[in-house]
Amino acid sequence: MNKPLKIIVNILIFTLIAGFGFYVGFSTKSDYKIGSSDTENQETEFVSPYKKANSFDLTSDVLSFDIYEDKIFVALQDKVSVFDFEGNKQYDFEINSNVRDIVAIYDTIFVLYPTEIELYTIDGQLIDQWEACSDNADYCAFTISNNYLFVTDADNKLIVQYNKDGQLIRFIKSPHGFVIPSYAFDIICINDTIYCSNSGRHKIESFTIDGTFIASYGVSGNQAGEFSGCCNPVYLEKTEGGNILTSEKGNPRISSFSKHGKFRTILLDSNMLGNGTDAYRMKIQNKNLFVAGKKSFSIYTFDCKQLRNPCSGCDLECPTKISRKKQTNDYD
């Protein structure tokens, strides 16, 4: 190879190496975590739109909980303990063991077990009891809307719909088939739509009140807005603005999605939740995020001032706001 040609080849090789190095450096610099603020030379830590306002411990693991008016109803081993938002216990009432879920609504406490549902007054007096409609039922979670009660059944892999008097209305099945490892089979209702986790498929599926399938949402993966592991999302919650919150296990985090499945932001990551691998139960009320994990209970308040785009009006990071343009439609 003559000298001029050799010089040209060396220049081209140097240019390619330098260009590749610049590309890698630029990509790394641009890969910020959700909620972080812009920094020139390094990736910054996750910044949540929430901050912990209060926390308290309980005597046993939290099996489920719900928020009703200004009280927290916590289902423990064989009782429901009622707390105010400061963590002060108000009273207890006895229930059976092996609770799967609890819902407080219409001045009534509904308690779900694997094969039955019990109804209590707010102060703990037993009102009624409904037996499961199948001998091999294994109920996981339930939600109440429009005088109907929807229960997920892990053994039969379907949703059971009751009326307000406990009479069976119908069974609702997924057209894709529910795959439910580890009882990760949560369900919520937003207006006239039912949303249910199909955790083994890393999906959230939606149905009409009469059981008609609408759509499924969710992507498998390890990035923000994706679901990984054997069964995610584990828990679902609705916001006042009609969005969906998800709670995951493995890498515990709570995220926000639109009701059409568009990822919005991570609200709490594993570090803020206390690490571990279990999913955390959650409820939201008036922008306060209530979170339970094992024997601990925490209350987080919404505070977007520290974010890159503070919540002025209807910013993406605000999990509860409704779009000003379309108050009755989805906010993406």
Side-chain angles (χ1 to χ4, degrees):
M1 181 182 296
N2 59 49
K3 187 173 181 179
L5 182 59
K6 186 175 181 180
I7 293 173
I8 293 173
V9 170
N10 287 337
I11 291 173
L12 289 174
I13 293 173
F14 176 79
T15 302
L16 288 173
I17 293 174
F20 180 74
F22 174 78
Y23 171 77
V24 171
F26 180 79
S27 298
T28 303
K29 178 181 175 180
S30 300
D31 186 20
Y32 292 101
K33 294 183 180 180
I34 298 296
S36 63
S37 57
D38 294 324
T39 323
E40 290 190 0
N41 297 314
Q42 61 183 7
E43 186 177 294
T44 60
E45 293 298 321
F46 167 80
V47 178
S48 172
Y50 278 91
K51 62 180 181 181
K52 185 180 290 188
N54 189 25
S55 63
F56 55 94
D57 295 328
L58 299 115
T59 57
S60 61
D61 288 354
V62 176
L63 303 181
S64 183
F65 76 94
D66 202 6
I67 309 298
Y68 186 65
E69 295 181 343
D70 58 349
K71 291 183 174 59
I72 307 168
F73 292 81
V74 183
L76 301 173
Q77 181 66 30
D78 53 6
K79 64 182 178 181
V80 171
S81 293
V82 184
F83 299 87
D84 62 22
F85 290 174
E86 299 300 320
N88 302 310
K89 184 187 290 188
Q90 305 299 295
Y91 57 92
D92 296 320
F93 62 88
E94 293 184 358
I95 57 173
N96 295 322
S97 59
N98 203 18
V99 173
R100 290 287 171 78
D101 203 0
I102 183 173
V103 172
I105 190 173
Y106 309 139
D107 288 333
T108 304
I109 308 301
F110 294 76
V111 181
L112 181 72
Y113 303 94
T115 59
E116 65 181 355
I117 301 168
E118 291 182 341
L119 285 67
Y120 293 83
T121 61
I122 291 294
D123 59 359
Q125 302 299 312
L126 183 63
I127 302 172
D128 201 355
Q129 184 180 35
W130 305 347
E131 295 294 333
C133 52
S134 172
D135 291 337
N136 64 333
D138 196 357
Y139 289 166
C140 289
F142 67 141
T143 189
I144 299 173
S145 178
N146 291 346
N147 292 319
Y148 293 112
L149 188 147
F150 298 86
V151 187
T152 58
D153 185 338
D155 197 309
N156 294 295
K157 295 178 173 57
L158 48 75
I159 302 169
V160 184
Q161 183 178 3
Y162 293 93
N163 69 12
K164 63 180 181 180
D165 298 317
Q167 297 176 329
L168 174 65
I169 302 298
R170 61 175 58 86
F171 297 114
I172 302 171
K173 297 183 178 181
S174 165
H176 307 108
F178 286 119
V179 179
I180 311 298
S182 305
Y183 295 100
F185 201 8
D186 207 5
I187 188 168
I188 59 173
C189 187
I190 300 176
N191 298 325
D192 293 330
T193 303
I194 304 300
Y195 296 85
C196 181
S197 59
N198 193 345
S199 58
R201 298 189 185 278
H202 298 147
K203 299 288 185 183
I204 298 171
E205 299 192 353
S206 59
F207 302 83
T208 64
I209 289 293
D210 63 4
T212 302
F213 176 78
I214 300 174
S216 65
Y217 328 101
V219 177
S220 298
N222 296 312
Q223 301 302 311
E226 300 174 343
F227 302 124
S228 63
C230 72
C231 40
N232 272 313
V234 178
Y235 301 119
L236 305 177
E237 171 65 341
K238 65 179 179 181
T239 72
E240 296 171 358
N243 295 302
I244 299 172
L245 304 187
T246 63
S247 180
E248 301 169 53
K249 71 175 189 175
N251 176 25
R253 61 187 179 187
I254 295 175
S255 304
S256 175
F257 293 80
S258 78
K259 66 182 179 182
H260 295 311
K262 182 177 180 180
F263 175 65
R264 302 173 72 242
T265 189
I266 294 175
L267 301 180
L268 298 175
D269 68 354
S270 177
N271 290 332
M272 291 194 68
L273 289 168
N275 297 306
T277 59
D278 294 335
Y280 287 74
R281 291 182 176 271
M282 61 186 172
K283 298 291 178 182
I284 192 166
Q285 185 188 77
N286 298 328
K287 294 190 180 182
N288 293 319
L289 190 55
F290 299 80
V291 177
K294 294 190 178 297
K295 297 180 181 180
S296 66
F297 199 97
S298 299
I299 302 174
Y300 297 83
T301 58
F302 183 71
D303 180 15
C304 62
K305 295 178 182 178
Q306 58 191 332
L307 298 174
R308 279 181 296 150
N309 301 310
C311 184
S312 56
C314 193
D315 189 74
L316 175 67
E317 274 103 349
C318 179
T320 59
K321 291 269 188 175
I322 304 175
S323 173
R324 291 178 174 179
K325 293 181 179 179
K326 297 181 179 180
Q327 290 289 328
T328 59
N329 294 328
D330 175 49
Y331 163 51
D332 286 336

